[in-house]
Amino acid sequence: MSENRATGTGGDGARDGKLATYREKRRFQRTREPRGADTGEGAGPGGRPVFVVQIHDARAMHFDFRLEVDGVLRSWAVPKGPSADIHDKRLAMPTEDHPMEYREFEGVIARGEYGAGTVIVWDEGTYEPLAGSTDDKGRTFAEALDHGHATFRLHGSKLHGAYALTRFRGGQDSGDRESWLLVKKKDARADGHDAPDPQRARSARTGRTLRQVAAESTPERPAESWETVGEDRTGGGDAPSSGSAESSPGREMS
C-alpha cells in the first residue's frame, strides 16, 4: 500500500528514524520540548496536513516554518519570517525534522540547552499541496521537496494563499549547506504585508508575546541568566543572517 506522504501515514519506524537528529540534540530531562511519539498522525481538519510558524528568540531571533510531511514537521529557519509580498524572497535554511507534537510547543528552553530561549506559536493551520509541483510531475509532495521545489496553499490564522519553497544551493550529492527561498505566489491573498516585529508579535494560540511567555515560564534556570552555551544553540541549526536573497521589509501582518 502506498503511503500518503503529505499527511503522514508512513511507517512508524521511518517516522522514529527521522526524529533521531532532533532527539540527539536535546536532553529531555532538562527541556520541556516534546520528545515525540513514535506513532500517531497530525493531519488537520478535512485530512489536510498542518503547518506551524514559531518565533524563536534564540542566539539569533528567527521564525521557524514547519510543514507536516510523512508524519513529522519538516522545518526551515526563516530569519525575517514569511511575507505576503510577492516581491520578497525570504531566505530559509532547513533544520532537523521535528515531531508533530512540536506544533503546540510554547515556552522557554533553558540556558545551556540546544536552542536556549523563548518560543511562541505565531501562526498555525493547514496547507494543501498544489498540483504544479506534484500531480503534473507524478510526484508526491515529499518528493517535490526532495527535488528542491514545492508549492502549497496555506490556510492559517495569519498566513493565507499560495507559497513556494525552492532550493537554490546545496542538496543531494552536494557538499554545500542547503539554502532555500520562501516566496509568496501571486494570488488574491498577496497583500504586501510583511512578518511582524518578533518582539511585538502575539501567539496564535495564547495571544502572548515572547516577553510574556518568558515572564510566565519557570525554566530550569532563571530567564535572566540565559546565555548561549556551546557551539550551536538556535534550536534547528544556525539561524541564517539576511543576505542578497532578502528584500526590504514591507507592511507588517497583524
Side-chain angles (χ1 to χ4, degrees):
M1 179 182 298
S2 63
E3 58 183 287
N4 184 326
R5 301 189 70 179
T7 56
T9 57
D12 298 338
R15 183 175 187 269
D16 186 28
K18 290 179 181 179
L19 297 178
T21 300
Y22 169 86
R23 290 170 176 166
E24 288 169 359
K25 291 175 179 289
R26 290 161 176 84
R27 296 181 292 176
F28 293 103
Q29 71 275 21
R30 292 270 298 149
T31 177
R32 295 188 177 92
E33 295 168 283
R35 184 180 189 278
D38 294 338
T39 60
E41 297 181 14
R48 286 178 179 167
V50 301
F51 84 93
V52 65
V53 181
Q54 287 159 309
I55 299 178
H56 191 175
D57 187 9
R59 178 174 60 183
M61 181 80 74
H62 63 281
F63 291 69
D64 286 309
F65 185 80
R66 312 190 196 279
L67 297 172
E68 176 189 357
V69 183
D70 285 354
V72 296
L73 294 172
R74 288 186 66 161
S75 302
W76 292 260
V78 184
K80 290 189 176 182
S83 172
D85 188 332
I86 63 173
H87 300 101
D88 289 342
K89 296 179 174 62
R90 290 298 158 86
L91 182 64
M93 302 297 285
T95 66
E96 73 273 13
D97 294 338
H98 282 52
M100 291 302 304
E101 294 85 350
Y102 209 93
R103 71 189 187 276
E104 300 179 351
F105 177 71
E106 242 178 35
V108 175
I109 303 171
R111 172 181 176 264
E113 299 307 303
Y114 182 80
T118 307
V119 176
I120 64 171
V121 175
W122 176 67
D123 195 18
E124 60 182 351
T126 63
Y127 77 94
E128 54 182 309
L130 296 179
S133 61
T134 54
D135 295 347
D136 65 354
K137 293 182 173 62
R139 296 172 180 164
T140 66
F141 187 73
E143 289 168 342
L145 284 171
D146 290 343
H147 279 80
H149 178 73
T151 57
F152 46 91
R153 182 174 290 111
L154 299 179
H155 303 277
S157 60
K158 299 170 184 175
L159 295 176
H160 309 274
Y163 282 79
L165 272 166
T166 303
R167 184 172 59 220
F168 68 92
R169 182 184 298 122
Q172 296 179 348
D173 301 322
S174 171
D176 296 332
R177 183 179 180 183
E178 287 189 32
S179 300
W180 293 62
L181 293 177
L182 175 64
V183 180
K184 179 74 184 73
K185 304 289 284 185
K186 187 175 182 179
D187 60 16
R189 307 312 294 261
D191 57 14
H193 281 70
D194 197 2
D197 175 352
Q199 297 289 3
R200 299 176 60 186
R202 291 188 176 273
S203 164
R205 298 185 65 87
T206 65
R208 297 181 297 172
T209 64
L210 287 166
R211 185 184 298 273
Q212 289 171 326
V213 169
E216 294 169 14
S217 298
T218 54
E220 291 81 355
R221 298 186 186 181
E224 61 269 17
S225 68
W226 293 340
E227 63 183 61
T228 299
V229 178
E231 61 182 5
D232 185 9
R233 299 294 179 183
T234 64
D238 290 333
S241 59
S242 59
S244 58
E246 302 282 1
S247 58
S248 59
R251 294 178 295 156
E252 292 184 354
M253 285 182 273
S254 59

